Every structure is written in structure tokens, then in C-alpha cells.
Amino acid sequence: MAAGVTDLPVAEVAEADGLDGDEPVQIVDGTGRVRAASDTLRGRPPLSDVNRAPEPDDDRDDDQDDDSPYDDSRDDSYDGGSGDPDDRDDPDDRDDRDREDRAAARPAAAVDAPAAPRALGYPQRREPVEVDRDSEETTVSLPVDDDGEVTHKPGERVGEQDFSLVAVQSVTRDGVPVTVYAGASLRDQEDAVAATSRAMLLGLPVLLLVVAGVTWLVTRRALRPVEGIRAEMAAITASTDLSRRVPEPGSGDEIGRLATTTNETLAALEGSVDRQRRFVADASHELRSPIASLRTQLEVAAAHPELLDVDGAVADTVRLQALAADLLLLARLDAGERPAHARVSLAALTGEELAQRVGDRLPVRAGELAEGEVLGSQGQLTRVLGNLVDNAQRHAASRVDVAVRPDGEGWLALEVEDDGAGVPEAERERIFERFVRLDDARSRDEGGAGLGLAIARDVVERHGGTLTAAAAASGGARFVARLPLAGRETDTGGGARA
């Protein structure tokens, strides 16, 4: 519509194409006068003042005829520019040649457009029109009939309907600025919104109920294994039966892994409790023998002083003291006691320990003593060496050898060998268990309590090393305690740290 207006003078805009449709259309000039309108809006005031065209100037003559659409006589440039009123009123003074000259002198864009009517107060248009250079949009309410078409007839009006109204400025061919208002019904959009709102109001509660139900079912199904784990743990706590295990769902998710970890923890706890019970039982059994022997000797001495075996009583007391010391050290190790972080020279420690051993059944020979320091407790490492040498003394046939050698980059190996019967390969791990003695032929008095090797391995592991048993070249047993040199990091609990 705005583009079509530029081809019509203001007096003919009512004949513009598009005014015979059902949609509301108005063409309004700057004074607020409706110049043209669609059938449904004829005789009605402007739909809006949005984006109104500029108003005319007020410097026109009072005696100008407002009914005339325009007056070329008010424009000197239109009649030759003589400025004489007589010349302007005399048609004989306006020949065709002067008109052609003036037309040729005007810009090409204004040749087909007459001068703007000064009677309306607008200047003559000299530039091409750019349509839709300043458009705005608003919403208005208009009366409609049953079909949703605009009507102002009282008998046909059934209510009001919102219309989206766009205002586009334009200029007629004779230079009059106007605003074209065109509306489109929002009935379909509002009906769609209303239908969607009703559907949401009706469906949202149902949807919420469905979502809540599904969430409850899924959550209950997902947490059912957790309840099984909780119930089983409560039963285990009440019964103190650590052999029971929680059910594993086998789903492979976090809950399944939780059940697996829980069972592993229960297994470790059961093993720890079993070891503790065996330890207490074995300790009680081992303590019973020297205590019973010592009591017997004292009772005999009380009845018959001349029969007192002082040497035997002292030996039982020493054995009882050593056993108590071993049990105390194991208890401290089980409690997580960490060794000190002092630098200890294994060569110096070995030399001092061997020099202090007097009264051994067999002499102990020192082999290679490589220099090197480890981090740990000198007292506990001395206990390791002493336990290994004592064990070798009990089983050696003629000799015991001790050496300190490098074992790979950053490691030292403390080796103790004997030429005895050796340790069967199948028993080389079991001998490090507590209260384990393989030789049934050994008497309890000549043998130990079965704690020396267990203590030695625990101490070495807490220093970040390993203790293993192997066969010696002579056929006897060979024990190797492998320890990290000071400056080498280890990640074992309580071990050496750089």
C-alpha cells in the first residue's frame, strides 16, 4: 500500500489498490485527516497516531481554498519564477515552450510529479521516496462480527478482536506525507495460545503425576539394592557374624561396586578378626608352657629346696621375657606404628650386631658388606637381623653367612644363609605366618615360638622393603631382606620416604 501511494496524488489515494479487502487499512496525512480507508473503516477516525506523518507548515495564506488539492500558482518555480501576480493569473503568459523549459530544468525524479500543493503547507517533493524507512508496529482492538471481520454496525458486532497494526510512512505523488495503517487479525494466534494454555492447564497436573510416579518407581528400583545392603549390614552388626556378605546386584553401576567393596571390606575384617583370635590363642598357648614350667620348678623348690633348678628357671624366665617382647612388638606393628626416619648404615649395623653375638652355637661369618644407608629404625632393623640369624642358628649344620649387597638401582639386600635342610618351596610363604613351625621333630625348648620370621617380615615391609625365602647354594635356606636406599621414594604404608 505504501509503495502504491507514491504513484497517486493525494486526491486519488482513495482509489489505491488494496482498499477493497477485508483487512483494516487507512491512509492518514499529517493533520490526522483520513484520506482513504478500506470498506470496513470508512467514516471512522484514524486507527492510531503511531508513526504519524509530519504536519504541514502554517505559513500559507488565509484566503487559500482548502478544498483545492494543490495550487501551482503558489510556487514561483513552477510558473517561471516571474513573481508578478498579473503574470501568474494570465494564462496567455504561460506558453508551452516555457513549460517545457521548466520541465527540462527540474530533476528527473520530479518530472512526473507536480509541485507540492502549497495550499496544504507542504513543500514541493524533489527527491525519490524511500518506502518503509520508518515503520512501527502496535496492537489495537477493533469491533468484529461472527466471522472475525471488522464491522461497526451495531447489529453485527459480537465483540472486539486484537489486530496487529503496522504504520508505514509514505509520500503521495504530489508530495503530501501520509501514513499507511494496515492491520492483521491476531485471532488465530490468540486461539492457538488459548488452546495451548488450556492443554497445559489440563495436561500439566497429569504430566506432573506421571513424572512423579515414574520418578518414584525408578528411584525405588534403583535404591532397592541399597536397602538390601543396609539390612544385611544391620544383621551382621547384630549377629557379629563376619562370614555373611551383602547381596551384590550385578548391575555394574555405582551401587554394584559399593556392594563389592563392602564385601571386600567384610572379608578383610573377617580375616583380621580371625588372625587376632588365632594370635590370642597362640600367644596364650605359648605363654602357658614357660609359665607352667617356671611354676613347676618353683613349687618343687618350695617343697625341696635342694632340687631347685636355677638354670632352668632362668632359661624359662628369659624365654618368657622374649616371648612377651615379641608379642608386644607385634601388637605395636598391628596398631600401625611407623618406624623412625633416621639414616641407618646396614653395613655398620651388621658389623655391630655380629660383634655382640657371643655364645652362638655356630660362628657367623660376614661376607660382603656394601656401603649404603636406608631410612628407618635402627632398633627394628637390628631386630630383623637378629631374628634371621637366630633362625639360621637353629637350622644350620655347620655355618651361617651374612652379607649386605647392592640389589639393583636404589636397593640394598641383607642376606642370611645357612647350610641346613632348607625350606620346602611350598612352605616358603607359610613360614612367615605367626606361630608357624615346620619341623615337628624340634622340641619346644630348642625351637622358637614361631614369631621371629613374622616379626622380621612385618618390620621390613613397614620400611618399604620385602623379605623372601629361597634356597641357598649349599642347599640350606637363604633369606633376603630387600630395602630401599635413603633418597628413593616408596609408597608403602610406613615405609621409607625420600
Side-chain angles (χ1 to χ4, degrees), residues 248 256-266:
E248 297 185 16
R257 292 193 291 271
L258 172 64
T260 302
T261 304
T262 302
N263 285 335
E264 293 173 354
T265 303
L266 289 174

Side-chain angles (χ1 to χ4, degrees), residues 13-158:
V13 294
E15 301 175 4
D17 294 335
L19 295 175
D20 53 353
D22 296 332
E23 300 296 342
V25 178
Q26 280 185 344
I27 301 176
V28 183
D29 64 16
T31 63
R33 178 180 176 183
V34 179
R35 291 292 182 170
S38 59
D39 294 340
T40 56
L41 294 178
R42 288 182 180 175
R44 309 303 302 177
L47 292 174
S48 175
D49 59 357
V50 173
N51 204 15
R52 181 66 59 82
E55 297 183 4
D57 297 334
D58 294 334
D59 57 351
R60 60 182 180 175
D61 295 338
D62 295 338
D63 58 352
Q64 179 64 44
D65 183 9
D66 291 343
D67 294 334
S68 175
Y70 54 88
D71 183 6
D72 291 342
S73 65
R74 299 290 294 176
D75 191 348
D76 293 341
S77 64
Y78 188 81
D79 61 340
S82 64
D84 186 355
D86 294 337
D87 292 341
R88 289 195 300 270
D89 294 339
D90 188 0
D92 294 336
D93 295 338
R94 302 174 183 174
D95 52 53
D96 295 338
R97 186 178 59 186
D98 294 338
R99 291 183 181 275
E100 292 175 356
D101 293 341
R102 289 195 299 271
R106 287 198 296 268
V111 170
D112 295 335
R118 295 295 297 273
L120 298 179
Y122 295 104
Q124 181 179 0
R125 177 165 59 91
R126 296 295 185 183
E127 297 178 356
V129 177
E130 296 180 5
V131 178
D132 197 22
R133 59 187 175 184
D134 189 14
S135 61
E136 296 184 16
E137 187 175 355
T138 186
T139 302
V140 297
S141 295
L142 298 176
V144 294
D145 56 15
D146 291 334
D147 297 330
E149 297 181 358
V150 178
T151 181
H152 290 85
K153 297 179 181 179
E156 296 179 357
R157 294 181 55 176
V158 295

Side-chain angles (χ1 to χ4, degrees), residues 42-370:
R42 288 182 180 175
R44 309 303 302 177
L47 292 174
S48 175
D49 59 357
V50 173
N51 204 15
R52 181 66 59 82
E55 297 183 4
D57 297 334
D58 294 334
D59 57 351
R60 60 182 180 175
D61 295 338
D62 295 338
D63 58 352
Q64 179 64 44
D65 183 9
D66 291 343
D67 294 334
S68 175
Y70 54 88
D71 183 6
D72 291 342
S73 65
R74 299 290 294 176
D75 191 348
D76 293 341
S77 64
Y78 188 81
D79 61 340
S82 64
D84 186 355
D86 294 337
D87 292 341
R88 289 195 300 270
D89 294 339
D90 188 0
D92 294 336
D93 295 338
R94 302 174 183 174
D95 52 53
D96 295 338
R97 186 178 59 186
D98 294 338
R99 291 183 181 275
E100 292 175 356
D101 293 341
R102 289 195 299 271
R106 287 198 296 268
V111 170
D112 295 335
R118 295 295 297 273
L120 298 179
Y122 295 104
Q124 181 179 0
R125 177 165 59 91
R126 296 295 185 183
E127 297 178 356
V129 177
E130 296 180 5
V131 178
D132 197 22
R133 59 187 175 184
D134 189 14
S135 61
E136 296 184 16
E137 187 175 355
T138 186
T139 302
V140 297
S141 295
L142 298 176
V144 294
D145 56 15
D146 291 334
D147 297 330
E149 297 181 358
V150 178
T151 181
H152 290 85
K153 297 179 181 179
E156 296 179 357
R157 294 181 55 176
V158 295
E160 291 190 349
Q161 176 66 48
D162 288 339
F163 282 75
S164 178
L165 187 69
V166 64
V168 181
Q169 290 188 3
S170 184
V171 180
T172 63
R173 192 178 69 181
D174 48 2
V176 179
V178 295
T179 300
V180 179
Y181 295 99
S185 176
L186 296 176
R187 181 177 181 178
D188 293 340
Q189 292 89 329
E190 293 178 351
D191 290 346
V193 173
T196 303
S197 300
R198 287 193 299 269
M200 292 182 64
L201 290 176
L202 295 176
L204 187 59
V206 177
L207 180 61
L208 290 177
L209 289 176
V210 172
V211 171
V214 172
T215 302
W216 182 80
L217 290 175
V218 172
T219 304
R220 182 178 178 84
R221 180 182 179 88
L223 296 181
R224 188 177 300 161
V226 177
E227 174 59 23
I229 295 174
R230 186 208 63 80
E232 187 64 24
M233 290 296 293
I236 293 173
T237 303
S239 64
T240 65
D241 183 7
L242 296 178
S243 63
R244 301 176 62 172
R245 297 293 182 266
V246 300
E248 297 185 16
S251 56
D253 56 6
E254 289 79 1
I255 297 178
R257 292 193 291 271
L258 172 64
T260 302
T261 304
T262 302
N263 285 335
E264 293 173 354
T265 303
L266 289 174
L269 182 60
E270 181 185 14
S272 176
V273 172
D274 289 343
R275 287 192 301 271
Q276 183 180 10
R277 289 172 179 172
R278 289 197 303 268
F279 176 78
V280 173
D282 293 339
S284 300
H285 179 73
E286 294 295 332
L287 288 172
R288 186 187 308 167
S289 296
I291 291 176
S293 176
L294 183 60
R295 178 182 176 181
T296 300
Q297 295 183 48
L298 292 176
E299 289 177 349
V300 171
H304 305 281
E306 69 279 4
L307 299 179
L308 175 62
D309 186 4
V310 177
D311 295 337
V314 171
D316 288 337
T317 303
V318 171
R319 180 181 175 189
L320 183 62
Q321 182 181 12
L323 182 58
D326 288 344
L327 293 176
L328 177 60
L329 178 57
L330 285 174
R332 290 163 55 188
L333 293 176
D334 290 341
E337 179 181 287
R338 298 191 175 206
H341 280 61
R343 288 180 173 267
V344 179
S345 171
L346 285 184
L349 180 148
T350 302
E352 293 176 4
E353 176 64 15
L354 297 183
Q356 294 176 4
R357 295 186 67 91
V358 293
D360 284 339
R361 184 175 66 89
L362 297 173
V364 180
R365 298 185 306 177
E368 177 185 358
L369 297 179

